[in-house]
Structures are given as structure tokens and as C-alpha cells.
């Protein structure tokens, strides 16, 4: 499969590039030190709530029922409170990535999300857009926003994904798909990305 053909809903952030080998090393450290939560969301939280030192792998989103009526799922998470960087990861490359992203964006929750082999997410929309940095992927892993689908490689690039629109991800491959995902609350240089 070819690299992602970009559109307004998914595209590479040209000003931001990371070292893929250092990302993989940081990922191994995160798995060893924290590990993934089990349940509906397989997650390692990189940031925590500054008020209570907790993390929340899920938050409010909307989907559609069988009659195409929009339905709210979960409760709102105050993303602006997620500014406490996970202490167990402060000496990893994820802290460097977080600092670099923070120069360009106001961030909410930052998480490592795992989508298992032959799995998919619900078709849903979120209240904010996201940055995706693929860590481990395979040619069968696709991002779909509205009627656009594409594959993004794990090569150190960061991608804007407009998750305020209906979207899903599917992993049709034989291996896990792992992405670092950061919620965008505001943008310092990419203002057009988050105009609501």
C-alpha cells in the first residue's frame, strides 16, 4: 500500500519530525514501566490530570444508532487538566516529543493507544482534533475520516487527524497497531486546523 494521500482531514505536519528509533525505544520503556490498561481502550497514559494525578483512557464521543440518530457515549473529560507528565516516562523520548508538540499546540490527554490485529474502533466523532504519531503499524492499518481512508507509516512523522468528524481506525493486519495520540486544544502555528 502507498503512503497516505493527504486531504483536509488527515495530513502530515511538515514542521514536526521525530526519530523513529528513539520512539521505539521509549515505547519499550513505557510498556516495561507502566504497561497497557485492559478493557475497551488499550492505553498507556502519558499525561495525567493535574488535580488528582489520575488518567482517563476514555472520554466523551458521539456515534450513531441504527436509525442514524446521534448518541452521546461516555462523559466529558476536561482535557485542559491533563498537563501532568507521567513521572515514570520523564527520562524517555516521549518527554522530548511532548515538549516539542507543546511548542506548537496546547495539548490535552496524550496517550499510547493499541489497536489489536483484526480489530476496529467504533465509527464516532470526538470534541477535539488529534495528533497521531504511528509507533508500530502494518499495511493493513487504516485511518478513515468520513469517506476518506489511508495508511500512515511509522517513520517519525506526526499527523493531524480531524477527529471532530466521524472517523474510525481498523487494523486488518497480523500485528498490533500502536499510535501516540495527543488531543489538540489550541494551536500556536496551525490556527486553521482548529477553528471551530
Amino acid at each position: 500500500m502507498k503512503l497516505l494521500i493527504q486531504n483536509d482531514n488527515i495530513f502530515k505536519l511538515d514542521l514536526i519530525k521525530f526519530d523513529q528509533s528513539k520512539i521505539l525505544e521509549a515505547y519499550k520503556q513505557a510498556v516495561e514501566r507502566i504497561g497497557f490498561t485492559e478493557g475497551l481502550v488499550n492505553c498507556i497514559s502519558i499525561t495525567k490530570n493535574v488535580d488528582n494525578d489520575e488518567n482517563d483512557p476514555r472520554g466523551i464521543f458521539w456515534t450513531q444508532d441504527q436509525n442514524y440518530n446521534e448518541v452521546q457515549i461516555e462523559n466529558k473529560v476536561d482535557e485542559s487538566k491533563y498537563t501532568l507528565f507521567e513521572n515514570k516516562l520523564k527520562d524517555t523520548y516521549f518527554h522530548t516529543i511532548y515538549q516539542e508538540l507543546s511548542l506548537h499546540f496546547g495539548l490535552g490527554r496524550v496517550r499510547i493507544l493499541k489497536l489489536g490485529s483484526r480489530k476496529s474502533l467504533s465509527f464516532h466523532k470526538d470534541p477535539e482534533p488529534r495528533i497521531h504519531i504511528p509507533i508500530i503499524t502494518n499495511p493493513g492499518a487504516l485511518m478513515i475520516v468520513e469517506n476518506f481512508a489511508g495508511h500512515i507509516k511509522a517513520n517519525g512523522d506526526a499527523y493531524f487527524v480531524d477527529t471532530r468528524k466521524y472517523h474510525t481506525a481498523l487494523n486488518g493486519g497480523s500485528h498490533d497497531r500502536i499510535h501516540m495520540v495527543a488531543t489538540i486544544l489550541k494551536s500556536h502555528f496551525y490556527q486553521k486546523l482548529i477553528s471551530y
Side-chain angles (χ1 to χ4, degrees):
M1 175 170 285
K2 294 182 180 179
L3 263 177
L4 172 75
I5 299 169
Q6 303 181 61
N7 77 354
D8 289 341
N9 296 323
I10 307 174
F11 57 86
K12 185 170 73 165
L13 298 171
D14 291 328
L15 298 178
I16 302 171
K17 177 78 172 177
F18 299 105
D19 183 318
Q20 184 63 22
S21 64
K22 291 181 180 179
I23 293 172
L24 288 169
E25 178 61 29
Y27 170 67
K28 289 176 190 172
Q29 293 167 323
V31 170
E32 289 170 3
R33 296 175 188 180
I34 300 171
F36 284 95
T37 60
E38 297 297 326
L40 293 174
V41 178
N42 290 314
C43 168
I44 298 174
S45 293
I46 293 177
T47 57
K48 295 181 174 186
N49 188 313
V50 71
D51 289 340
N52 56 24
D53 194 38
E54 293 180 358
N55 56 55
D56 189 344
R58 292 176 63 89
I60 193 170
F61 64 95
W62 296 268
T63 188
Q64 294 177 350
D65 66 16
Q66 66 274 15
N67 296 315
Y68 298 89
N69 297 313
E70 195 164 80
V71 178
Q72 177 182 318
I73 308 292
E74 299 292 343
N75 297 310
K76 182 156 179 58
V77 170
D78 186 351
E79 296 273 354
S80 69
K81 299 283 187 180
Y82 285 79
T83 58
L84 182 64
F85 194 88
E86 170 58 62
N87 199 45
K88 294 177 185 175
L89 300 178
K90 278 195 174 174
D91 65 337
T92 72
Y93 192 58
F94 286 135
H95 194 250
T96 301
I97 293 172
Y98 179 78
Q99 290 176 315
E100 176 66 23
L101 291 177
S102 295
L103 295 175
H104 302 279
F105 301 97
L107 300 176
R109 290 178 299 163
V110 181
R111 301 167 289 164
I112 301 167
L113 299 176
K114 176 169 65 172
L115 184 60
S117 171
R118 298 178 180 88
K119 304 276 185 197
S120 68
L121 300 179
S122 65
F123 194 58
H124 69 284
K125 69 178 184 178
D126 301 309
E128 311 90 0
R130 309 281 196 254
I131 297 167
H132 277 250
I133 301 172
I135 298 173
I136 298 171
T137 192
N138 65 75
L142 300 175
M143 296 284 307
I144 301 168
V145 180
E146 294 186 326
N147 61 355
F148 177 81
H151 169 70
I152 52 181
K153 286 188 176 179
N155 61 7
D157 288 329
Y159 290 85
F160 172 84
V161 181
D162 196 347
T163 52
R164 296 167 296 184
K165 297 178 180 175
Y166 274 95
H167 66 281
T168 186
L170 62 90
N171 181 6
S174 301
H175 303 284
D176 290 339
R177 171 241 198 213
I178 313 291
H179 280 201
M180 181 178 182
V181 179
T183 299
I184 302 173
L185 300 181
K186 63 182 176 180
S187 175
H188 310 306
F189 297 107
Y190 296 99
Q191 196 56 42
K192 70 177 186 124
L193 300 186
I194 59 161
S195 54
Y196 293 91

